[in-house]
Coordinates of all heavy atoms in Angstrom, one line a residue:
M1 N 77.6 132.8 81.3 CA 76.3 132.5 80.6 C 75.1 133.2 81.2 O 74.2 133.6 80.6 CB 76.0 131.0 80.8 CG 75.9 130.1 79.5 SD 76.1 130.9 77.9 CE 74.7 130.2 77.1
K2 N 75.2 133.4 82.5 CA 74.1 134.1 83.2 C 74.0 135.6 82.8 O 72.9 136.2 82.6 CB 74.3 134.1 84.7 CG 73.4 133.0 85.4 CD 73.4 133.3 86.9 CE 72.4 132.3 87.5 NZ 72.4 132.4 89.0
L3 N 75.2 136.2 82.5 CA 75.2 137.5 82.0 C 74.5 137.7 80.7 O 73.7 138.6 80.5 CB 76.7 138.0 81.9 CG 76.8 139.5 81.6 CD1 76.5 140.3 82.8 CD2 78.3 139.7 81.1
L4 N 74.7 136.7 79.8 CA 74.0 136.7 78.5 C 72.5 136.6 78.7 O 71.7 137.3 78.0 CB 74.5 135.6 77.6 CG 75.6 135.9 76.7 CD1 76.0 134.6 75.9 CD2 75.2 137.0 75.7
L5 N 72.1 135.8 79.7 CA 70.7 135.6 79.9 C 70.0 136.9 80.4 O 69.0 137.4 79.9 CB 70.5 134.6 81.0 CG 69.1 134.0 81.1 CD1 68.8 133.0 80.0 CD2 68.9 133.3 82.5
W6 N 70.7 137.6 81.3 CA 70.2 138.9 81.8 C 70.2 139.9 80.7 O 69.3 140.8 80.6 CB 71.1 139.4 83.0 CG 70.7 138.7 84.3 CD1 71.5 137.8 85.0 CD2 69.5 138.8 85.0 NE1 70.8 137.3 86.1 CE2 69.6 137.9 86.1 CE3 68.3 139.5 84.8 CZ2 68.6 137.8 87.1 CZ3 67.3 139.4 85.7 CH2 67.4 138.5 86.8
L7 N 71.3 139.9 79.9 CA 71.3 140.9 78.8 C 70.2 140.7 77.8 O 69.5 141.6 77.4 CB 72.7 140.7 78.0 CG 73.1 141.9 77.2 CD1 73.6 143.0 78.2 CD2 74.3 141.5 76.3
G8 N 69.9 139.4 77.5 CA 68.8 139.1 76.6 C 67.5 139.5 77.2 O 66.6 140.1 76.5
L9 N 67.3 139.3 78.5 CA 66.1 139.7 79.2 C 65.9 141.2 79.2 O 64.8 141.7 78.9 CB 66.2 139.2 80.7 CG 64.8 139.1 81.4 CD1 64.0 137.9 80.8 CD2 65.0 138.9 82.9
A10 N 67.1 141.9 79.4 CA 67.0 143.4 79.4 C 66.6 143.9 78.0 O 65.8 144.8 77.9 CB 68.4 143.9 79.8
V11 N 67.2 143.2 77.0 CA 66.8 143.7 75.6 C 65.3 143.4 75.4 O 64.6 144.2 74.8 CB 67.7 142.9 74.6 CG1 67.2 143.1 73.2 CG2 69.1 143.4 74.7
L12 N 64.8 142.2 75.8 CA 63.4 141.9 75.6 C 62.5 143.0 76.3 O 61.6 143.4 75.8 CB 63.1 140.5 76.2 CG 63.5 139.4 75.2 CD1 63.2 138.0 75.9 CD2 62.6 139.5 73.9
V13 N 62.9 143.3 77.6 CA 62.1 144.2 78.3 C 62.2 145.6 77.6 O 61.1 146.3 77.5 CB 62.7 144.4 79.8 CG1 62.1 145.6 80.5 CG2 62.3 143.1 80.6
Y14 N 63.4 146.0 77.1 CA 63.5 147.2 76.5 C 62.6 147.3 75.2 O 61.9 148.3 75.0 CB 65.0 147.4 76.1 CG 65.2 148.6 75.2 CD1 65.1 149.9 75.7 CD2 65.5 148.4 73.9 CE1 65.3 151.0 74.9 CE2 65.7 149.5 73.0 CZ 65.7 150.8 73.5 OH 65.9 151.9 72.7
L15 N 62.7 146.2 74.4 CA 61.8 146.1 73.2 C 60.4 146.2 73.5 O 59.6 146.9 72.9 CB 62.2 144.9 72.4 CG 63.5 144.9 71.7 CD1 63.8 143.6 71.0 CD2 63.6 146.1 70.7
A16 N 60.0 145.4 74.6 CA 58.6 145.4 75.0 C 58.1 146.8 75.4 O 57.0 147.3 75.0 CB 58.4 144.4 76.1
L17 N 58.9 147.5 76.2 CA 58.6 148.8 76.6 C 58.5 149.8 75.4 O 57.6 150.6 75.3 CB 59.6 149.4 77.6 CG 59.5 148.8 79.0 CD1 60.7 149.3 79.9 CD2 58.2 149.2 79.7
R18 N 59.4 149.6 74.5 CA 59.4 150.5 73.3 C 58.2 150.3 72.5 O 57.6 151.2 72.0 CB 60.7 150.3 72.5 CG 61.3 151.6 72.1 CD 62.6 151.3 71.4 NE 62.4 150.8 70.0 CZ 63.3 150.9 69.1 NH1 64.4 151.4 69.3 NH2 63.0 150.4 67.9
K19 N 57.8 149.0 72.4 CA 56.6 148.6 71.6 C 55.4 149.2 72.3 O 54.5 149.8 71.6 CB 56.5 147.1 71.5 CG 55.7 146.7 70.3 CD 55.7 145.1 70.3 CE 54.6 144.7 69.3 NZ 54.4 143.2 69.3
N20 N 55.3 149.1 73.6 CA 54.2 149.6 74.3 C 54.1 151.1 74.1 O 53.1 151.7 73.9 CB 54.3 149.3 75.8 CG 53.7 148.0 76.1 OD1 53.0 147.4 75.3 ND2 53.9 147.4 77.3
F21 N 55.3 151.8 74.3 CA 55.4 153.2 74.1 C 54.9 153.7 72.8 O 54.1 154.6 72.6 CB 56.8 153.6 74.4 CG 57.0 155.1 74.4 CD1 56.4 155.9 75.5 CD2 57.7 155.8 73.5 CE1 56.5 157.2 75.5 CE2 57.8 157.2 73.5 CZ 57.3 157.9 74.5
R22 N 55.3 152.9 71.7 CA 55.0 153.3 70.4 C 53.5 153.1 70.1 O 52.8 153.9 69.5 CB 55.8 152.5 69.4 CG 57.1 153.1 69.1 CD 57.8 152.5 67.9 NE 59.1 153.1 67.7 CZ 59.9 152.8 66.7 NH1 59.5 151.8 65.9 NH2 61.0 153.4 66.5
S23 N 52.9 152.0 70.7 CA 51.5 151.7 70.4 C 50.6 152.6 71.2 O 49.5 152.7 71.0 CB 51.2 150.2 70.7 OG 51.4 150.0 72.1
N24 N 51.2 153.2 72.2 CA 50.4 154.1 73.0 C 50.3 155.5 72.3 O 49.4 156.2 72.6 CB 51.1 154.3 74.4 CG 50.6 153.3 75.4 OD1 49.7 152.5 75.1 ND2 51.3 153.2 76.5
I25 N 51.3 155.8 71.5 CA 51.2 157.2 70.9 C 50.1 157.3 69.9 O 49.3 158.2 70.0 CB 52.6 157.5 70.3 CG1 53.6 157.7 71.4 CG2 52.5 158.7 69.4 CD1 55.0 158.0 70.8
P26 N 50.0 156.4 68.9 CA 49.0 156.6 67.8 C 47.6 157.0 68.2 O 47.1 158.0 67.7 CB 49.1 155.3 67.0 CG 50.4 154.8 67.3 CD 50.8 155.2 68.7
P27 N 46.9 156.3 69.1 CA 45.6 156.7 69.4 C 45.4 158.1 69.9 O 44.5 158.8 69.6 CB 45.2 155.7 70.6 CG 46.1 154.6 70.4 CD 47.4 155.2 69.9
A28 N 46.4 158.6 70.7 CA 46.4 160.0 71.2 C 46.8 161.0 70.1 O 46.4 162.1 70.1 CB 47.2 160.1 72.4
N29 N 47.7 160.5 69.3 CA 48.4 161.5 68.4 C 47.6 161.6 67.0 O 47.6 162.7 66.5 CB 49.8 161.1 68.1 CG 50.7 162.3 68.2 OD1 50.3 163.4 68.5 ND2 52.0 162.1 67.9
R30 N 47.0 160.5 66.5 CA 46.4 160.6 65.2 C 44.9 160.6 65.4 O 44.3 159.7 66.0 CB 46.8 159.5 64.3 CG 46.4 158.1 64.8 CD 46.6 157.1 63.8 NE 46.2 155.8 64.3 CZ 46.6 154.6 63.9 NH1 47.6 154.6 63.0 NH2 46.2 153.5 64.4
P31 N 44.2 161.6 65.0 CA 42.7 161.7 65.1 C 42.1 161.1 63.9 O 41.1 161.6 63.4 CB 42.5 163.2 65.2 CG 43.6 163.8 64.4 CD 44.8 162.8 64.4
S32 N 42.6 159.9 63.4 CA 42.1 159.4 62.1 C 40.9 158.6 62.3 O 39.8 158.9 61.8 CB 43.2 158.7 61.4 OG 43.7 157.7 62.3
E33 N 41.0 157.3 62.9 CA 39.9 156.4 62.8 C 38.9 156.5 64.0 O 37.8 157.0 63.8 CB 40.5 155.0 62.8 CG 40.7 154.5 61.4 CD 42.2 154.2 61.1 OE1 43.0 154.9 61.7 OE2 42.4 153.3 60.4
S34 N 39.3 156.2 65.2 CA 38.4 156.1 66.3 C 37.9 157.5 66.8 O 36.8 157.7 67.2 CB 39.0 155.3 67.4 OG 40.2 155.9 67.9
A35 N 38.8 158.4 66.7 CA 38.5 159.8 67.2 C 38.0 160.7 66.1 O 38.0 161.9 66.3 CB 39.8 160.4 67.8
R36 N 37.5 160.1 65.0 CA 37.0 160.9 63.9 C 35.9 161.9 64.3 O 36.0 163.1 64.0 CB 36.5 160.0 62.8 CG 37.5 159.8 61.7 CD 37.2 160.8 60.5 NE 38.4 161.0 59.7 CZ 38.6 160.2 58.6 NH1 37.8 159.3 58.2 NH2 39.7 160.5 57.9
P37 N 34.8 161.5 65.0 CA 33.7 162.4 65.3 C 34.2 163.6 66.1 O 33.9 164.7 65.8 CB 32.8 161.6 66.1 CG 33.1 160.2 65.8 CD 34.6 160.1 65.5
N38 N 35.1 163.4 67.1 CA 35.6 164.5 67.9 C 36.4 165.4 67.1 O 36.2 166.6 67.2 CB 36.4 163.9 69.1 CG 35.5 163.5 70.2 OD1 34.4 163.8 70.3 ND2 36.1 162.6 71.1
S39 N 37.3 164.9 66.2 CA 38.2 165.8 65.5 C 37.3 166.5 64.4 O 37.6 167.7 64.2 CB 39.2 164.9 64.8 OG 38.7 164.1 63.8
N40 N 36.3 165.9 63.9 CA 35.4 166.7 63.0 C 34.7 167.8 63.7 O 34.6 168.9 63.2 CB 34.4 165.7 62.3 CG 35.0 165.0 61.1 OD1 36.1 165.3 60.7 ND2 34.2 164.1 60.6
Q41 N 34.2 167.5 64.9 CA 33.6 168.5 65.7 C 34.5 169.7 65.9 O 34.1 170.9 65.8 CB 33.1 167.9 67.0 CG 32.0 168.7 67.6 CD 31.4 168.0 68.8 OE1 32.2 167.2 69.4 NE2 30.2 168.3 69.2
W42 N 35.7 169.3 66.3 CA 36.7 170.3 66.5 C 37.0 171.2 65.3 O 37.1 172.4 65.3 CB 38.0 169.7 67.0 CG 39.1 170.6 67.4 CD1 39.1 171.4 68.6 CD2 40.2 171.0 66.7 NE1 40.2 172.2 68.6 CE2 40.9 172.0 67.5 CE3 40.8 170.6 65.5 CZ2 42.1 172.5 67.0 CZ3 41.9 171.2 65.1 CH2 42.6 172.1 65.8
A43 N 37.1 170.5 64.1 CA 37.3 171.2 62.9 C 36.2 172.1 62.5 O 36.3 173.2 62.0 CB 37.5 170.2 61.7
D44 N 34.9 171.6 62.8 CA 33.8 172.5 62.6 C 33.8 173.7 63.4 O 33.6 174.8 63.0 CB 32.5 171.7 62.9 CG 32.1 170.7 61.8 OD1 32.8 170.8 60.7 OD2 31.3 169.9 62.0
E45 N 34.2 173.5 64.7 CA 34.3 174.7 65.6 C 35.3 175.7 65.1 O 35.1 176.9 65.0 CB 34.7 174.2 67.0 CG 33.5 173.9 67.9 CD 33.9 173.4 69.2 OE1 34.9 173.8 69.7 OE2 33.3 172.5 69.7
Q46 N 36.5 175.1 64.6 CA 37.5 176.0 64.1 C 37.0 176.7 62.8 O 37.2 177.9 62.6 CB 38.7 175.1 63.7 CG 40.0 175.5 64.4 CD 41.2 175.0 63.8 OE1 41.1 174.2 62.8 NE2 42.3 175.4 64.3
F47 N 36.2 176.0 62.0 CA 35.7 176.6 60.8 C 34.8 177.7 61.1 O 34.9 178.8 60.6 CB 35.0 175.5 59.9 CG 34.4 176.0 58.7 CD1 35.2 176.4 57.6 CD2 33.0 176.2 58.6 CE1 34.7 176.8 56.4 CE2 32.5 176.7 57.4 CZ 33.3 177.0 56.3
T48 N 33.8 177.5 62.0 CA 32.9 178.5 62.4 C 33.6 179.7 63.0 O 33.2 180.8 62.7 CB 31.8 178.0 63.3 OG1 32.4 177.3 64.4 CG2 30.8 177.0 62.6
S49 N 34.6 179.4 63.8 CA 35.2 180.5 64.5 C 36.0 181.3 63.5 O 36.1 182.6 63.6 CB 36.2 180.0 65.6 OG 37.2 179.3 65.0
S50 N 36.6 180.7 62.4 CA 37.3 181.4 61.4 C 36.4 182.2 60.5 O 36.7 183.3 60.1 CB 38.2 180.5 60.6 OG 37.3 179.7 59.8
T51 N 35.1 181.7 60.3 CA 34.2 182.4 59.5 C 33.7 183.6 60.3 O 33.4 184.7 59.8 CB 33.0 181.5 59.1 OG1 32.5 180.8 60.2 CG2 33.4 180.6 58.0
N52 N 33.5 183.4 61.6 CA 33.1 184.5 62.5 C 34.1 185.6 62.4 O 33.8 186.8 62.4 CB 32.9 184.0 63.9 CG 31.6 183.3 64.1 OD1 30.7 183.3 63.2 ND2 31.4 182.6 65.2
A53 N 35.4 185.2 62.5 CA 36.5 186.2 62.4 C 36.4 187.0 61.1 O 36.7 188.2 61.1 CB 37.8 185.5 62.6
K54 N 36.0 186.3 60.0 CA 35.9 187.0 58.7 C 34.8 188.0 58.8 O 34.9 189.1 58.3 CB 35.7 185.9 57.6 CG 37.0 185.4 57.0 CD 36.7 184.5 55.8 CE 37.9 183.9 55.3 NZ 37.6 182.9 54.2
E55 N 33.6 187.5 59.3 CA 32.5 188.4 59.4 C 32.8 189.7 60.2 O 32.3 190.7 60.0 CB 31.3 187.7 60.0 CG 30.6 186.8 59.0 CD 29.6 185.9 59.6 OE1 29.2 186.2 60.8 OE2 29.2 185.0 59.0
A56 N 33.6 189.5 61.3 CA 33.9 190.6 62.2 C 35.2 191.3 61.8 O 35.8 192.0 62.6 CB 34.0 190.0 63.6
E57 N 35.6 191.2 60.6 CA 36.9 191.7 60.2 C 36.9 193.3 60.3 O 37.9 193.9 60.7 CB 37.3 191.3 58.8 CG 36.4 191.7 57.7 CD 36.7 191.1 56.4 OE1 37.7 190.4 56.4 OE2 36.0 191.3 55.4
T58 N 35.7 193.9 60.0 CA 35.6 195.3 60.0 C 35.1 195.7 61.4 O 33.9 195.5 61.7 CB 34.8 195.9 58.9 OG1 35.2 195.4 57.7 CG2 34.8 197.4 58.9
M59 N 35.9 196.2 62.3 CA 35.5 196.6 63.6 C 35.5 198.1 63.7 O 36.4 198.8 63.3 CB 36.4 196.0 64.7 CG 36.3 194.4 64.6 SD 34.7 193.7 65.0 CE 34.7 193.9 66.8
L60 N 34.5 198.7 64.3 CA 34.4 200.1 64.5 C 34.4 200.4 66.0 O 33.9 199.6 66.8 CB 33.2 200.7 63.8 CG 33.1 200.5 62.3 CD1 31.7 200.9 61.8 CD2 34.2 201.3 61.6
S61 N 34.9 201.6 66.3 CA 34.9 202.0 67.7 C 33.8 202.9 68.0 O 33.5 203.9 67.2 CB 36.2 202.7 68.0 OG 36.2 203.2 69.4
C62 N 33.0 202.7 69.0 CA 31.9 203.5 69.4 C 32.5 204.9 69.9 O 33.4 204.9 70.7 CB 31.1 202.9 70.5 SG 29.8 203.9 71.1
A63 N 31.9 206.0 69.4 CA 32.3 207.3 69.8 C 32.0 207.6 71.2 O 32.5 208.6 71.8 CB 31.8 208.3 68.8
H64 N 31.0 206.9 71.7 CA 30.6 207.2 73.1 C 31.3 206.3 74.1 O 31.8 206.9 75.1 CB 29.0 206.9 73.2 CG 28.5 207.3 74.5 ND1 28.4 208.5 75.0 CD2 27.9 206.5 75.5 CE1 27.9 208.5 76.2 NE2 27.6 207.3 76.5
C65 N 31.4 205.0 73.9 CA 31.9 204.1 75.0 C 33.3 203.5 74.5 O 33.9 202.8 75.3 CB 31.0 203.0 75.3 SG 30.6 201.9 74.0
Q66 N 33.7 203.8 73.3 CA 35.0 203.3 72.7 C 35.0 201.8 72.6 O 36.1 201.2 72.4 CB 36.2 203.8 73.6 CG 36.6 205.2 73.2 CD 35.6 206.3 73.9 OE1 35.3 206.1 75.0 NE2 35.2 207.2 73.1
V67 N 33.9 201.1 72.8 CA 33.9 199.7 72.6 C 33.9 199.4 71.1 O 33.3 200.0 70.3 CB 32.6 199.1 73.3 CG1 32.3 197.7 72.7 CG2 32.8 199.1 74.7
Y68 N 34.7 198.3 70.7 CA 34.7 197.9 69.3 C 33.6 197.0 69.0 O 33.3 196.1 69.8 CB 36.1 197.2 69.0 CG 37.1 198.3 68.8 CD1 37.9 198.7 69.9 CD2 37.4 198.7 67.5 CE1 38.9 199.7 69.7 CE2 38.4 199.7 67.3 CZ 39.1 200.2 68.4 OH 40.1 201.1 68.2
F69 N 32.9 197.2 67.9 CA 31.8 196.4 67.5 C 31.8 196.2 66.0 O 32.5 196.9 65.3 CB 30.5 197.1 67.9 CG 30.3 198.5 67.3 CD1 29.7 198.6 66.2 CD2 30.9 199.5 68.0 CE1 29.5 199.9 65.6 CE2 30.8 200.8 67.4 CZ 30.1 201.0 66.2
P70 N 31.1 195.1 65.5 CA 31.1 194.9 64.0 C 30.5 196.0 63.3 O 29.5 196.6 63.7 CB 30.2 193.6 63.9 CG 30.2 193.0 65.3 CD 30.4 194.1 66.3
A71 N 31.0 196.3 62.1 CA 30.5 197.4 61.3 C 29.1 197.2 60.9 O 28.4 198.2 60.6 CB 31.4 197.6 60.1
S72 N 28.6 196.0 60.9 CA 27.2 195.7 60.5 C 26.2 196.2 61.5 O 25.1 196.4 61.2 CB 27.0 194.2 60.2 OG 27.3 193.5 61.4
E73 N 26.7 196.5 62.7 CA 25.8 196.9 63.8 C 26.0 198.4 64.0 O 25.5 198.9 65.1 CB 26.1 196.2 65.1 CG 25.8 194.7 65.0 CD 26.3 193.9 66.2 OE1 26.5 194.6 67.3 OE2 26.4 192.7 66.1
V74 N 26.6 199.1 63.1 CA 26.9 200.5 63.4 C 25.7 201.4 63.4 O 24.7 201.1 62.6 CB 28.0 201.0 62.3 CG1 27.3 201.1 60.9 CG2 28.5 202.4 62.8
V75 N 25.7 202.4 64.2 CA 24.6 203.4 64.2 C 25.4 204.7 64.0 O 26.2 205.1 64.8 CB 23.9 203.5 65.6 CG1 22.9 204.6 65.6 CG2 23.2 202.2 65.9
V76 N 25.1 205.3 62.8 CA 25.8 206.5 62.4 C 25.0 207.7 62.8 O 23.9 207.9 62.4 CB 26.2 206.5 60.9 CG1 27.0 207.7 60.5 CG2 27.0 205.2 60.6
R77 N 25.7 208.7 63.5 CA 25.0 210.0 63.8 C 26.1 211.0 63.4 O 27.2 211.1 64.0 CB 24.7 210.1 65.3 CG 23.6 209.3 65.8 CD 22.2 209.9 65.3 NE 21.2 208.8 65.4 CZ 20.5 208.6 66.5 NH1 20.7 209.3 67.5 NH2 19.6 207.7 66.5
G78 N 25.7 211.9 62.4 CA 26.7 212.8 62.0 C 27.8 212.1 61.3 O 27.6 211.3 60.4
E79 N 29.0 212.3 61.7 CA 30.2 211.7 61.2 C 30.7 210.6 62.1 O 31.8 210.1 61.9 CB 31.3 212.7 60.8 CG 30.9 213.6 59.7 CD 32.0 214.6 59.4 OE1 33.0 214.6 60.1 OE2 31.8 215.4 58.5
L80 N 30.0 210.4 63.2 CA 30.5 209.5 64.2 C 29.8 208.1 64.2 O 28.6 208.1 63.9 CB 30.4 210.1 65.6 CG 31.2 211.4 65.8 CD1 30.9 212.0 67.1 CD2 32.7 211.1 65.7
N81 N 30.5 207.1 64.6 CA 29.9 205.7 64.7 C 29.6 205.4 66.1 O 30.4 205.6 67.0 CB 30.9 204.7 64.1 CG 31.2 205.1 62.6 OD1 30.3 205.5 61.9 ND2 32.4 204.9 62.2
Y82 N 28.5 204.8 66.3 CA 28.1 204.3 67.7 C 27.7 202.9 67.7 O 27.3 202.4 66.6 CB 26.9 205.2 68.2 CG 27.3 206.6 68.3 CD1 27.0 207.5 67.3 CD2 27.9 207.1 69.4 CE1 27.3 208.8 67.3 CE2 28.2 208.5 69.5 CZ 27.9 209.3 68.5 OH 28.2 210.6 68.6
C83 N 27.9 202.2 68.8 CA 27.6 200.8 68.9 C 26.1 200.5 69.0 O 25.6 199.5 68.7 CB 28.3 200.2 70.1 SG 27.7 200.8 71.7
S84 N 25.3 201.5 69.4 CA 23.9 201.4 69.6 C 23.2 202.7 69.5 O 23.8 203.8 69.6 CB 23.6 200.7 70.9 OG 24.0 201.6 72.0
A85 N 21.9 202.7 69.3 CA 21.1 203.9 69.2 C 21.1 204.6 70.5 O 21.1 205.9 70.6 CB 19.7 203.6 68.8
E86 N 21.2 203.8 71.6 CA 21.2 204.5 72.9 C 22.5 205.3 73.1 O 22.4 206.5 73.6 CB 21.2 203.4 74.0 CG 19.9 202.7 74.2 CD 19.7 201.6 73.2 OE1 20.7 201.1 72.6 OE2 18.5 201.2 73.0
H87 N 23.6 204.8 72.6 CA 24.8 205.6 72.8 C 24.8 206.8 71.8 O 25.4 207.8 72.1 CB 26.0 204.7 72.6 CG 26.4 203.9 73.8 ND1 27.4 203.0 73.8 CD2 25.8 203.9 75.0 CE1 27.4 202.4 75.0 NE2 26.4 202.9 75.7
A88 N 24.2 206.6 70.6 CA 24.2 207.7 69.7 C 23.3 208.8 70.3 O 23.7 210.0 70.3 CB 23.6 207.2 68.4
D89 N 22.2 208.4 70.9 CA 21.3 209.4 71.6 C 22.0 210.1 72.8 O 22.0 211.3 73.0 CB 20.0 208.8 72.1 CG 19.1 208.3 70.9 OD1 19.4 208.9 69.8 OD2 18.3 207.5 71.1
A90 N 22.7 209.2 73.6 CA 23.4 209.7 74.8 C 24.5 210.7 74.4 O 24.6 211.8 75.0 CB 24.0 208.6 75.6
A91 N 25.2 210.4 73.3 CA 26.3 211.3 72.9 C 25.7 212.6 72.3 O 26.3 213.7 72.5 CB 27.1 210.6 71.8
S92 N 24.6 212.5 71.6 CA 24.0 213.8 71.0 C 23.4 214.6 72.0 O 23.3 215.9 71.9 CB 23.0 213.4 69.9 OG 22.0 212.6 70.4
K93 N 22.9 214.0 73.1 CA 22.3 214.8 74.2 C 23.3 215.4 75.1 O 23.1 216.5 75.7 CB 21.4 213.9 75.1 CG 20.0 213.6 74.4 CD 19.2 212.6 75.2 CE 18.0 212.1 74.5 NZ 17.4 210.9 75.1
A94 N 24.4 214.8 75.2 CA 25.5 215.3 76.1 C 26.0 216.6 75.5 O 26.1 216.8 74.3 CB 26.6 214.3 76.2
P95 N 26.4 217.5 76.4 CA 26.9 218.8 76.0 C 28.2 218.7 75.2 O 29.0 217.9 75.5 CB 27.0 219.6 77.3 CG 27.1 218.6 78.3 CD 26.4 217.4 77.9
Ligands
ZN101 ZN1 28.8 202.5 72.7

């Protein structure tokens, strides 16, 4: 009879642990109710970073320093692209 008692106790402890384990997962795993503001902020950050990536999709290499920069900031001298007027001037002055 004692063995049954211990077995039942072990099952109860196992169930209790499992229940605790399961109830511990949802708050950390689902960003639905309580963590809404944070998850929205994160989503906003992701959204802005993805839009930034779209804006920067056309990258050009500076003929002077070889640094890549957005095509919207290009300084064209002759047939070459430069990241800034300073580099365009420096490249045209150089022999
Ligand atoms: Zn440059």
Side-chain angles (χ1 to χ4, degrees):
M1 238 2 226
K2 259 196 175 177
L3 187 72
L4 266 179
L5 197 78
W6 281 113
L7 202 71
L9 201 71
V11 168
L12 277 177
V13 167
Y14 171 73
L15 286 177
L17 284 177
R18 226 176 72 159
K19 202 178 168 187
N20 272 350
F21 186 67
R22 277 194 179 179
S23 64
N24 274 347
I25 289 179
N29 223 5
R30 65 168 179 206
S32 54
E33 270 118 323
S34 58
R36 261 261 161 94
N38 279 342
S39 68
N40 274 352
Q41 202 173 25
W42 186 75
D44 282 348
E45 271 176 37
Q46 241 197 353
F47 179 73
T48 48
S49 69
S50 68
T51 49
N52 282 348
K54 268 185 187 172
E55 282 172 12
E57 64 187 356
T58 307
M59 299 295 283
L60 298 170
S61 175
C62 176
H64 183 68
C65 64
Q66 278 79 46
V67 162
Y68 281 87
F69 57 93
S72 58
E73 296 173 18
V74 68
V75 176
V76 181
R77 287 288 162 84
E79 293 181 355
L80 297 175
N81 300 322
Y82 298 94
C83 65
S84 62
E86 286 82 17
H87 280 178
D89 291 342
S92 60
K93 279 172 191 169

